[in-house]
Amino acid sequence: MTHLKVTYDAEANAAYLYFTDPAAPPTKVAHMYPCDPDRVDGMINLDFDGDMRLLGVEVLDARAKLPQYLLDAAEPLNRGNA
């Protein structure tokens, strides 16, 4: 089974779903494509590398957009200790 890394910042209500190999060195985002906030009723950003491979998805207003079980299982981000 493949495990998806998900982080969640409860204060910002923002989640990030990673589509990269956790064993590989981090890949720099070269292109960010914001989805139309009117069509998705919020803000969702798609991050791509230089070869246009999808690296991850940022979801703002995550509590309204993602299932609760995913947020419960996400790695919490504590901005106060960043």
Side-chain angles (χ1 to χ4, degrees):
M1 171 182 262
T2 301
H3 295 279
L4 178 69
K5 178 179 177 181
V6 179
T7 56
Y8 178 58
D9 182 331
E11 185 179 331
N13 190 21
Y16 197 88
L17 292 74
Y18 293 81
F19 300 136
T20 55
D21 181 350
T27 303
K28 184 175 173 134
V29 173
H31 307 282
M32 188 271 294
Y33 175 78
C35 295
D36 183 341
D38 293 328
R39 289 189 177 195
V40 297
D41 191 27
M43 181 58 76
I44 297 174
N45 298 313
L46 306 176
D47 290 339
F48 295 89
D49 69 9
D51 294 323
M52 294 306 291
R53 285 186 295 258
L54 185 61
L55 298 174
V57 177
E58 178 185 35
V59 180
L60 305 179
D61 195 14
R63 286 188 292 272
K65 300 289 175 229
L66 296 173
Q68 188 61 46
Y69 80 89
L70 191 61
L71 298 177
D72 291 344
E75 175 184 324
L77 297 180
N78 184 342
R79 295 190 302 165
N81 294 334

